Coordinates of all heavy atoms in Angstrom, one line a residue:
M1 N -92.4 43.0 158.5 CA -92.7 41.7 157.9 C -91.6 40.8 158.2 O -90.4 41.2 158.0 CB -92.9 41.8 156.5 CG -93.4 40.6 155.7 SD -93.9 40.9 154.1 CE -94.7 39.4 153.7
M2 N -91.9 39.5 158.7 CA -90.7 38.7 159.0 C -90.2 37.8 157.7 O -91.0 37.6 156.8 CB -91.3 37.5 159.9 CG -91.6 38.0 161.3 SD -91.9 36.7 162.5 CE -93.4 36.0 162.0
D3 N -88.9 37.7 157.8 CA -88.3 36.9 156.7 C -88.5 35.4 157.0 O -88.9 35.1 158.0 CB -86.9 37.3 156.3 CG -85.9 37.0 157.4 OD1 -86.2 36.2 158.4 OD2 -84.9 37.6 157.5
I4 N -88.1 34.5 156.0 CA -88.2 33.1 156.3 C -87.6 32.6 157.5 O -88.1 31.7 158.3 CB -87.9 32.3 155.0 CG1 -88.4 30.8 155.1 CG2 -86.5 32.3 154.7 CD1 -89.7 30.6 155.1
K5 N -86.3 33.1 157.8 CA -85.5 32.7 159.0 C -86.3 33.0 160.3 O -86.3 32.2 161.3 CB -84.1 33.2 159.0 CG -83.3 32.4 158.0 CD -81.8 32.8 158.1 CE -81.0 32.0 157.2 NZ -79.7 32.1 157.2
E6 N -86.9 34.2 160.2 CA -87.5 34.7 161.4 C -88.8 33.8 161.7 O -89.3 33.4 162.8 CB -88.0 36.2 161.4 CG -86.7 37.1 161.4 CD -87.0 38.5 161.2 OE1 -87.9 38.7 160.2 OE2 -86.6 39.4 161.8
R7 N -89.7 33.5 160.5 CA -90.8 32.8 160.6 C -90.4 31.4 161.2 O -91.2 30.7 162.0 CB -91.4 32.6 159.3 CG -92.1 33.8 158.9 CD -92.7 33.9 157.5 NE -93.2 35.1 156.9 CZ -94.5 35.4 157.1 NH1 -95.3 34.5 157.6 NH2 -94.8 36.7 156.7
L8 N -89.4 30.8 160.6 CA -89.0 29.5 161.0 C -88.5 29.3 162.5 O -88.8 28.4 163.2 CB -87.8 28.8 160.3 CG -88.2 28.5 158.8 CD1 -86.9 28.2 158.0 CD2 -89.1 27.4 158.7
G9 N -88.2 30.5 163.0 CA -87.8 30.7 164.5 C -89.0 30.6 165.3 O -88.8 30.5 166.6
T10 N -90.2 30.8 164.8 CA -91.5 30.7 165.6 C -91.9 29.3 165.8 O -93.0 29.1 166.4 CB -92.6 31.6 164.9 OG1 -93.0 30.9 163.7 CG2 -92.1 33.1 164.7
I11 N -91.3 28.3 165.2 CA -91.6 26.9 165.2 C -90.6 26.1 166.1 O -89.5 26.4 166.2 CB -91.5 26.3 163.8 CG1 -92.5 27.0 162.9 CG2 -91.8 24.9 163.8 CD1 -92.3 26.7 161.4
K12 N -91.4 25.3 166.8 CA -90.6 24.4 167.8 C -90.6 23.0 167.3 O -91.5 22.5 166.7 CB -91.2 24.3 169.1 CG -90.6 23.4 170.1 CD -91.3 23.6 171.5 CE -90.7 22.4 172.3 NZ -91.6 21.3 172.5
Y13 N -89.4 22.3 167.2 CA -89.4 21.0 166.8 C -89.3 19.9 167.9 O -88.4 20.1 168.8 CB -88.1 20.8 165.9 CG -88.1 21.7 164.7 CD1 -87.3 22.9 164.9 CD2 -88.6 21.5 163.6 CE1 -87.3 23.9 163.9 CE2 -88.6 22.4 162.5 CZ -87.9 23.5 162.6 OH -87.8 24.4 161.6
D14 N -90.1 19.0 167.9 CA -90.0 17.8 168.9 C -89.5 16.7 168.1 O -90.2 16.0 167.5 CB -91.4 17.6 169.5 CG -91.3 16.7 170.7 OD1 -90.2 16.2 171.0 OD2 -92.3 16.4 171.3
V15 N -88.2 16.6 168.1 CA -87.5 15.6 167.3 C -87.7 14.2 167.9 O -87.4 14.0 168.9 CB -86.0 15.9 167.1 CG1 -85.3 14.9 166.3 CG2 -85.9 17.3 166.4
D16 N -88.1 13.3 167.0 CA -88.2 11.8 167.3 C -86.8 11.2 166.8 O -86.7 11.0 165.6 CB -89.3 11.2 166.6 CG -89.5 9.8 167.0 OD1 -88.6 9.2 167.6 OD2 -90.6 9.3 166.9
K17 N -85.9 11.1 167.7 CA -84.6 10.6 167.3 C -84.6 9.1 166.9 O -83.6 8.6 166.2 CB -83.6 10.6 168.5 CG -83.4 12.0 169.0 CD -82.2 12.7 168.1 CE -81.8 14.0 168.7 NZ -81.1 14.8 167.7
E18 N -85.7 8.4 167.1 CA -85.8 6.9 166.7 C -86.4 6.7 165.5 O -86.6 5.6 165.0 CB -86.4 6.1 167.8 CG -85.5 6.2 169.1 CD -86.4 5.6 170.3 OE1 -87.4 5.0 170.1 OE2 -85.8 5.7 171.4
Y19 N -87.0 7.8 165.0 CA -87.9 7.6 163.8 C -87.7 8.8 162.7 O -88.1 9.9 163.1 CB -89.4 7.5 164.0 CG -90.3 7.5 162.9 CD1 -90.4 6.3 162.1 CD2 -91.1 8.5 162.5 CE1 -91.3 6.3 161.0 CE2 -92.0 8.6 161.6 CZ -92.1 7.4 160.7 OH -93.0 7.3 159.7
A20 N -87.1 8.7 161.7 CA -87.0 9.7 160.7 C -88.2 9.7 159.7 O -88.4 8.6 159.1 CB -85.8 9.5 159.8
H21 N -89.0 10.7 159.8 CA -90.3 10.6 159.0 C -90.0 10.8 157.5 O -90.9 10.6 156.7 CB -91.3 11.7 159.5 CG -90.8 13.0 159.3 ND1 -89.9 13.8 160.0 CD2 -91.4 14.0 158.5 CE1 -89.8 15.0 159.6 NE2 -90.7 15.2 158.6
I22 N -88.7 11.3 157.1 CA -88.4 11.4 155.7 C -87.0 10.6 155.5 O -86.1 10.8 156.4 CB -88.2 12.8 155.3 CG1 -89.5 13.5 155.5 CG2 -87.7 12.8 153.8 CD1 -89.2 15.2 155.2
T23 N -87.0 9.8 154.6 CA -85.7 9.2 154.3 C -85.3 9.4 152.9 O -86.3 9.6 152.0 CB -85.7 7.6 154.5 OG1 -86.8 7.0 153.8 CG2 -85.8 7.4 156.0
V24 N -84.2 9.5 152.5 CA -83.7 9.6 151.1 C -82.8 8.5 150.7 O -82.1 7.9 151.5 CB -83.0 10.9 150.8 CG1 -83.9 12.1 151.1 CG2 -81.8 11.0 151.7
D25 N -82.9 8.1 149.4 CA -82.1 7.0 148.8 C -80.8 7.5 148.4 O -80.8 8.2 147.3 CB -82.9 6.2 147.8 CG -82.1 5.0 147.3 OD1 -81.0 4.9 147.2 OD2 -83.0 4.1 146.9
E26 N -79.8 7.4 149.2 CA -78.4 7.9 148.8 C -77.9 7.5 147.3 O -77.4 8.4 146.6 CB -77.4 7.5 149.7 CG -77.6 8.3 151.1 CD -76.5 7.9 152.0 OE1 -75.4 7.4 151.6 OE2 -76.7 8.2 153.3
A27 N -78.2 6.3 146.9 CA -77.8 5.8 145.6 C -78.5 6.6 144.5 O -77.9 6.9 143.4 CB -78.1 4.3 145.5
I28 N -79.8 7.0 144.7 CA -80.5 7.8 143.7 C -79.9 9.2 143.8 O -79.8 9.7 142.8 CB -82.1 7.7 144.0 CG1 -82.6 6.3 143.8 CG2 -82.8 8.8 143.2 CD1 -84.1 6.2 144.2
C29 N -79.7 9.7 144.9 CA -79.2 11.1 145.1 C -77.8 11.3 144.4 O -77.7 12.4 143.8 CB -79.2 11.5 146.5 SG -80.8 11.5 147.3
E30 N -77.0 10.3 144.5 CA -75.7 10.5 143.9 C -75.8 10.7 142.4 O -75.0 11.2 141.8 CB -74.8 9.1 144.1 CG -74.3 9.1 145.5 CD -73.6 7.8 145.8 OE1 -73.3 7.1 144.7 OE2 -73.3 7.5 146.9
K31 N -76.9 10.1 141.7 CA -77.0 10.2 140.3 C -77.9 11.3 139.8 O -78.1 11.6 138.7 CB -77.6 8.9 139.7 CG -76.6 7.7 139.9 CD -77.4 6.4 139.6 CE -76.5 5.2 139.8 NZ -77.1 3.9 139.9
C32 N -78.5 12.0 140.9 CA -79.4 13.0 140.5 C -78.9 14.2 139.8 O -77.7 14.7 140.2 CB -80.1 13.6 141.8 SG -81.3 15.0 141.5
P33 N -79.3 14.7 138.6 CA -78.7 15.8 137.9 C -78.9 17.1 138.4 O -78.2 18.0 137.9 CB -79.3 15.5 136.5 CG -80.7 15.0 136.6 CD -80.5 14.1 137.9
H34 N -79.8 17.4 139.2 CA -80.2 18.7 139.6 C -80.3 19.2 141.0 O -80.2 20.2 141.4 CB -81.5 19.3 138.9 CG -82.5 18.2 138.9 ND1 -83.2 17.8 140.0 CD2 -83.1 17.5 137.9 CE1 -84.1 17.0 139.8 NE2 -84.1 16.6 138.5
H35 N -80.7 18.1 141.9 CA -80.9 18.3 143.3 C -82.0 19.4 143.6 O -81.6 20.4 144.4 CB -79.6 18.6 144.1 CG -78.7 17.4 144.0 ND1 -77.5 17.3 143.3 CD2 -78.8 16.1 144.6 CE1 -77.0 16.2 143.4 NE2 -77.6 15.4 144.2
F36 N -83.1 19.4 143.0 CA -84.1 20.3 143.3 C -84.4 20.5 144.7 O -84.9 21.5 145.2 CB -85.4 20.0 142.5 CG -85.3 20.2 141.0 CD1 -86.2 19.4 140.2 CD2 -84.6 21.2 140.5 CE1 -86.1 19.7 138.9 CE2 -84.6 21.5 139.2 CZ -85.4 20.7 138.3
C37 N -84.3 19.4 145.5 CA -84.7 19.4 146.9 C -83.9 20.5 147.7 O -84.4 21.2 148.6 CB -84.4 18.1 147.6 SG -82.7 17.6 147.3
V38 N -82.6 20.8 147.2 CA -81.8 21.8 147.9 C -82.4 23.1 147.7 O -82.5 23.9 148.7 CB -80.4 21.7 147.4 CG1 -79.5 22.9 148.0 CG2 -79.7 20.5 147.7
M39 N -82.9 23.5 146.6 CA -83.5 24.8 146.3 C -85.0 24.9 147.0 O -85.5 25.8 147.3 CB -83.5 25.0 144.8 CG -82.2 25.2 144.2 SD -82.3 25.3 142.4 CE -82.4 23.6 142.0
A40 N -85.7 23.7 146.9 CA -87.1 23.7 147.3 C -87.3 23.7 148.8 O -88.4 24.3 149.2 CB -87.8 22.5 146.7
C41 N -86.5 23.1 149.5 CA -86.8 23.0 151.1 C -86.7 24.4 151.7 O -85.6 24.9 151.7 CB -85.9 22.0 151.6 SG -86.1 21.8 153.4
P42 N -87.8 24.9 152.4 CA -87.6 26.2 153.0 C -86.8 26.1 154.3 O -86.4 27.2 154.8 CB -89.1 26.6 153.3 CG -89.7 25.2 153.4 CD -89.1 24.3 152.4
A43 N -86.6 25.0 154.9 CA -86.0 24.8 156.1 C -84.5 24.5 155.9 O -83.9 24.1 156.9 CB -86.7 23.8 157.0
Q44 N -84.1 24.3 154.7 CA -82.7 24.1 154.4 C -82.3 22.6 154.9 O -81.1 22.4 155.4 CB -81.7 25.0 154.9 CG -82.1 26.4 154.0 CD -81.2 27.6 154.5 OE1 -80.8 27.6 155.6 NE2 -81.0 28.5 153.5
C45 N -83.2 21.7 154.9 CA -82.8 20.3 155.4 C -81.9 19.6 154.4 O -81.3 18.6 154.8 CB -84.2 19.5 155.6 SG -85.2 20.2 156.8
Y46 N -82.0 20.0 153.2 CA -81.0 19.4 152.1 C -80.0 20.4 151.9 O -80.2 21.5 151.5 CB -81.9 19.1 150.8 CG -83.0 18.1 151.0 CD1 -84.2 18.5 151.4 CD2 -82.8 16.7 150.8 CE1 -85.4 17.7 151.6 CE2 -83.9 15.8 150.9 CZ -85.0 16.2 151.4 OH -86.2 15.5 151.5
T47 N -78.7 19.9 151.9 CA -77.6 20.7 151.5 C -76.6 19.8 150.6 O -76.6 18.6 150.7 CB -76.8 21.3 152.7 OG1 -76.5 20.2 153.5 CG2 -77.6 22.2 153.5
L48 N -75.9 20.5 149.8 CA -74.8 19.7 149.1 C -73.5 20.1 149.7 O -73.1 21.3 150.0 CB -74.9 20.3 147.6 CG -75.9 19.6 146.7 CD1 -75.8 20.3 145.4 CD2 -75.8 18.2 146.5
Q49 N -72.6 19.1 150.1 CA -71.3 19.3 150.6 C -70.4 18.5 149.7 O -70.4 17.3 149.5 CB -71.3 18.8 152.0 CG -72.1 19.7 152.9 CD -72.1 19.3 154.3 OE1 -71.2 18.5 154.7 NE2 -72.9 19.8 155.2
N50 N -69.6 19.2 148.9 CA -68.7 18.6 148.0 C -69.3 17.8 147.0 O -68.9 16.7 146.7 CB -67.6 17.9 148.7 CG -66.7 18.7 149.6 OD1 -66.4 19.9 149.2 ND2 -66.2 18.3 150.7
G51 N -70.5 18.2 146.6 CA -71.3 17.5 145.5 C -72.2 16.5 146.1 O -72.9 15.8 145.4
K52 N -72.0 16.0 147.5 CA -72.8 15.0 148.1 C -74.0 15.5 148.7 O -73.8 16.5 149.5 CB -71.9 14.2 149.1 CG -72.7 13.1 149.7 CD -71.8 12.2 150.6 CE -72.6 11.3 151.3 NZ -72.4 10.0 151.5
L53 N -75.1 15.0 148.6 CA -76.4 15.4 149.2 C -76.4 15.1 150.6 O -76.2 13.9 151.0 CB -77.6 14.9 148.6 CG -78.9 15.5 149.1 CD1 -79.1 16.9 148.6 CD2 -80.0 14.6 148.8
M54 N -76.6 16.0 151.6 CA -76.7 15.8 153.0 C -78.1 16.1 153.4 O -78.7 17.1 152.9 CB -75.8 16.7 153.8 CG -74.3 16.5 153.3 SD -73.6 14.9 153.5 CE -73.4 14.8 155.1
F55 N -78.8 15.3 154.2 CA -80.1 15.4 154.7 C -80.3 15.5 156.2 O -79.7 14.6 156.8 CB -81.1 14.5 153.9 CG -82.5 14.6 154.4 CD1 -83.2 15.7 154.2 CD2 -83.1 13.5 155.1 CE1 -84.5 15.8 154.6 CE2 -84.4 13.6 155.6 CZ -85.1 14.8 155.3
N56 N -81.1 16.4 156.7 CA -81.3 16.5 158.2 C -82.7 16.7 158.5 O -83.2 17.7 158.3 CB -80.4 17.6 158.7 CG -80.5 17.8 160.1 OD1 -81.3 17.0 160.9 ND2 -80.0 18.9 160.8
Y57 N -83.5 15.6 158.8 CA -84.9 15.7 159.0 C -85.2 16.5 160.2 O -86.5 16.9 160.4 CB -85.6 14.3 159.0 CG -85.3 13.6 160.3 CD1 -86.2 13.6 161.3 CD2 -84.2 12.8 160.4 CE1 -86.0 12.9 162.4 CE2 -84.0 12.1 161.6 CZ -84.9 12.1 162.6 OH -84.7 11.5 163.9
E58 N -84.4 16.8 161.1 CA -84.7 17.4 162.4 C -85.2 18.7 162.3 O -85.9 19.2 163.2 CB -83.5 17.4 163.4 CG -83.2 16.0 164.0 CD -82.1 15.3 163.2 OE1 -82.0 15.5 162.0 OE2 -81.7 14.2 163.6
D59 N -85.0 19.5 161.3 CA -85.4 20.8 161.0 C -86.7 21.0 160.3 O -87.1 22.0 159.8 CB -84.4 21.7 160.6 CG -83.2 22.0 161.5 OD1 -83.6 21.9 162.8 OD2 -82.1 22.3 161.2
C60 N -87.2 19.9 159.7 CA -88.3 19.9 158.8 C -89.5 20.5 159.3 O -89.9 20.3 160.6 CB -88.6 18.3 158.5 SG -90.1 18.1 157.5
V61 N -90.3 21.3 158.5 CA -91.5 21.9 158.9 C -92.7 21.2 158.3 O -93.9 21.7 158.5 CB -91.5 23.4 158.5 CG1 -90.4 24.1 159.4 CG2 -91.3 23.6 156.9
E62 N -92.5 20.0 157.8 CA -93.6 19.2 157.4 C -94.5 19.7 156.2 O -95.6 19.6 156.1 CB -94.5 18.6 158.5 CG -93.8 18.0 159.6 CD -94.6 17.7 160.7 OE1 -95.8 17.5 160.7 OE2 -94.0 17.5 161.8
C63 N -93.8 20.5 155.3 CA -94.5 21.3 154.3 C -94.9 20.2 153.1 O -95.8 20.5 152.4 CB -93.7 22.4 153.7 SG -92.2 22.0 152.9
G64 N -93.9 19.3 152.9 CA -94.2 18.2 151.9 C -93.6 18.6 150.6 O -93.7 17.8 149.7
T65 N -93.0 19.7 150.5 CA -92.3 20.2 149.2 C -91.5 19.2 148.6 O -91.5 18.9 147.4 CB -91.8 21.6 149.4 OG1 -92.6 22.5 150.0 CG2 -91.2 22.0 148.0
C66 N -90.5 18.7 149.4 CA -89.5 17.7 148.8 C -90.2 16.4 148.2 O -89.6 16.0 147.3 CB -88.5 17.3 149.9 SG -89.1 16.6 151.3
S67 N -91.3 16.1 148.8 CA -91.9 14.9 148.2 C -92.3 15.1 146.7 O -92.5 14.2 146.0 CB -93.0 14.3 149.0 OG -94.0 15.2 149.0
V68 N -92.6 16.4 146.4 CA -93.1 16.8 145.1 C -91.8 17.1 144.2 O -91.6 16.9 143.0 CB -94.1 17.9 145.1 CG1 -94.5 18.4 143.8 CG2 -95.3 17.5 146.0
A69 N -90.9 17.9 144.8 CA -89.8 18.4 144.1 C -88.8 17.4 143.6 O -88.2 17.4 142.7 CB -88.9 19.3 145.0
C70 N -88.8 16.2 144.4 CA -87.8 15.2 143.9 C -88.5 14.2 142.8 O -89.5 13.6 143.2 CB -87.5 14.2 145.1 SG -86.4 12.8 144.6
D71 N -88.0 14.5 141.7 CA -88.6 13.7 140.6 C -87.8 12.5 140.3 O -88.0 11.9 139.2 CB -88.7 14.6 139.4 CG -87.4 15.0 138.9 OD1 -86.3 14.8 139.5 OD2 -87.3 15.8 137.8
Q72 N -86.9 12.1 141.2 CA -86.1 10.8 140.9 C -86.5 9.7 141.9 O -85.9 8.6 141.7 CB -84.7 11.2 141.3 CG -84.1 12.5 140.7 CD -83.8 12.3 139.1 OE1 -83.1 11.3 138.8 NE2 -84.4 13.2 138.3
G73 N -87.5 10.0 142.7 CA -87.9 8.9 143.5 C -87.1 8.5 144.6 O -87.2 7.5 145.2
S74 N -86.4 9.5 145.1 CA -85.5 9.2 146.2 C -86.1 9.4 147.6 O -85.8 8.8 148.5 CB -84.3 10.3 146.2 OG -83.5 10.2 147.3
V75 N -87.1 10.4 147.7 CA -87.7 10.8 149.0 C -88.9 9.9 149.3 O -89.8 9.7 148.6 CB -88.1 12.3 148.9 CG1 -88.8 12.7 150.1 CG2 -87.0 13.1 148.6
T76 N -88.8 9.4 150.5 CA -89.9 8.6 151.2 C -90.3 9.4 152.4 O -89.5 9.8 153.3 CB -89.4 7.2 151.7 OG1 -88.9 6.5 150.6 CG2 -90.6 6.4 152.3
W77 N -91.7 9.8 152.4 CA -92.2 10.8 153.3 C -93.3 10.2 154.0 O -94.3 9.7 153.4 CB -92.6 12.1 152.4 CG -92.6 13.5 153.1 CD1 -91.7 14.3 152.9 CD2 -93.6 13.9 154.1 NE1 -92.1 15.6 153.7 CE2 -93.3 15.1 154.4 CE3 -94.8 13.3 154.7 CZ2 -93.9 15.9 155.3 CZ3 -95.4 14.1 155.5 CH2 -95.1 15.4 155.9
H78 N -93.3 10.4 155.3 CA -94.5 9.9 156.1 C -94.6 11.0 157.2 O -93.7 11.6 157.6 CB -94.2 8.6 156.9 CG -94.0 7.5 156.0 ND1 -95.0 6.8 155.3 CD2 -92.8 6.8 155.5 CE1 -94.5 5.9 154.5 NE2 -93.2 5.9 154.7
Y79 N -95.8 11.2 157.7 CA -95.9 12.1 158.9 C -95.2 11.6 160.2 O -95.1 10.3 160.3 CB -97.4 12.4 159.2 CG -98.0 13.3 158.2 CD1 -98.9 12.9 157.4 CD2 -97.8 14.7 158.3 CE1 -99.4 13.8 156.3 CE2 -98.3 15.6 157.5 CZ -99.2 15.1 156.6 OH -99.8 16.0 155.6
P80 N -94.7 12.5 160.9 CA -94.1 12.0 162.2 C -95.0 11.3 163.1 O -96.3 11.5 162.9 CB -93.6 13.3 162.9 CG -93.5 14.4 161.9 CD -94.6 13.9 160.9
K81 N -94.6 10.5 163.9 CA -95.5 9.9 164.8 C -96.2 10.9 165.7 O -95.7 12.0 165.9 CB -94.6 8.9 165.8 CG -94.1 7.7 165.2 CD -93.3 6.9 166.3 CE -92.6 5.8 165.5 NZ -91.7 5.1 166.4
A82 N -97.3 10.6 166.2 CA -98.3 11.3 167.0 C -97.5 12.0 168.1 O -96.7 11.4 168.9 CB -99.5 10.6 167.5
G83 N -97.5 13.4 168.4 CA -96.9 14.1 169.4 C -95.4 14.5 169.1 O -94.9 15.2 169.9
K84 N -95.0 14.0 167.8 CA -93.6 14.4 167.5 C -93.7 15.4 166.4 O -94.8 15.6 165.6 CB -92.8 13.1 167.2 CG -92.6 12.2 168.3 CD -91.6 13.0 169.2 CE -91.3 12.0 170.5 NZ -90.4 12.5 171.4
G85 N -92.6 15.9 165.9 CA -92.5 16.7 164.8 C -92.7 18.2 165.1 O -92.4 18.7 166.3
V86 N -93.1 19.0 164.1 CA -93.2 20.3 164.3 C -94.3 20.9 165.2 O -95.4 20.2 165.2 CB -93.4 21.1 162.9 CG1 -94.7 20.7 162.2 CG2 -93.2 22.6 163.0
V87 N -94.1 21.8 166.0 CA -95.1 22.3 167.0 C -95.1 23.9 166.6 O -94.1 24.5 166.8 CB -94.6 22.1 168.4 CG1 -95.7 22.7 169.3 CG2 -94.5 20.7 168.8
Y88 N -96.3 24.3 166.3 CA -96.5 25.7 166.0 C -96.8 26.5 167.2 O -97.8 26.2 168.0 CB -97.6 25.9 164.9 CG -97.1 25.2 163.6 CD1 -97.6 24.0 163.3 CD2 -96.3 26.0 162.8 CE1 -97.2 23.4 162.1 CE2 -96.0 25.4 161.6 CZ -96.5 24.1 161.2 OH -96.1 23.5 160.1
K89 N -96.0 27.3 167.7 CA -96.1 28.2 168.9 C -97.3 29.1 169.0 O -97.9 29.3 170.0 CB -94.9 29.0 169.3 CG -93.6 28.1 169.5 CD -92.5 29.0 169.7 CE -91.2 28.2 169.9 NZ -90.0 29.1 169.8
F90 N -97.7 29.6 167.7 CA -98.7 30.6 167.7 C -99.9 30.2 166.9 O -100.6 30.8 166.3 CB -98.1 31.9 167.0 CG -96.9 32.4 167.8 CD1 -95.7 32.5 167.3 CD2 -97.1 33.0 169.0 CE1 -94.5 32.9 167.8 CE2 -96.1 33.5 169.7 CZ -94.8 33.5 169.2
G91 N -100.2 28.9 167.0 CA -101.4 28.3 166.4 C -101.2 27.9 165.0 O -100.1 28.0 164.4
Ligands
SF4_1 FE1 -88.0 20.5 153.8 FE2 -90.7 20.5 153.5 FE3 -89.3 18.4 152.9 FE4 -89.5 19.2 155.5 S1 -91.2 18.4 154.1 S2 -87.7 18.4 154.3 S3 -89.3 21.3 155.3 S4 -89.2 20.4 151.9

């Protein structure tokens, strides 16, 4: 059975460098008491570095979890433009 890192390795990302399909409001994140997004994101797109939230949309698998996990209203989520985003190699 594959672990999560192996499963994520089966996915290819076609990154759109000109359009971030997820944006976060840094002012809201600075005041967030728990940063649920760090624990919730399976692709580890959210990390904390010295208490500051860092976000990297390029590894997103489009699961939508962060849009639900963030109860502070920081996450704005849209699907990537057509032809961009996650590509599943095995269907
Ligand atoms: Fe992570 Fe899923 Fe949000 Fe993408 S949609 S950043 S994979 S939680």
Side-chain angles (χ1 to χ4, degrees):
M1 185 169 191
M2 291 192 291
D3 64 21
I4 189 69
K5 286 191 176 184
E6 291 170 322
R7 287 177 187 264
L8 290 173
T10 67
I11 297 170
K12 175 180 174 255
Y13 303 94
D14 190 358
V15 176
D16 188 342
K17 294 279 186 195
E18 297 173 6
Y19 174 75
H21 67 290
I22 300 173
T23 56
V24 296
D25 185 325
E26 290 183 13
I28 293 175
C29 295
E30 281 179 17
K31 297 175 186 166
C32 180
H34 45 64
H35 297 109
F36 284 152
C37 54
V38 175
M39 295 175 276
C41 177
Q44 300 176 331
C45 295
Y46 297 86
T47 56
L48 281 174
Q49 293 181 11
N50 299 321
K52 181 176 169 129
L53 185 77
M54 308 299 285
F55 176 64
N56 179 6
Y57 73 94
E58 285 92 344
D59 290 335
C60 176
V61 294
E62 300 171 28
C63 69
T65 303
C66 57
S67 67
V68 177
C70 177
D71 61 357
Q72 306 293 307
S74 174
V75 175
T76 302
W77 207 105
H78 300 281
Y79 281 104
K81 290 179 184 172
K84 297 291 184 183
V86 67
V87 178
Y88 295 96
K89 294 179 187 171
F90 302 109

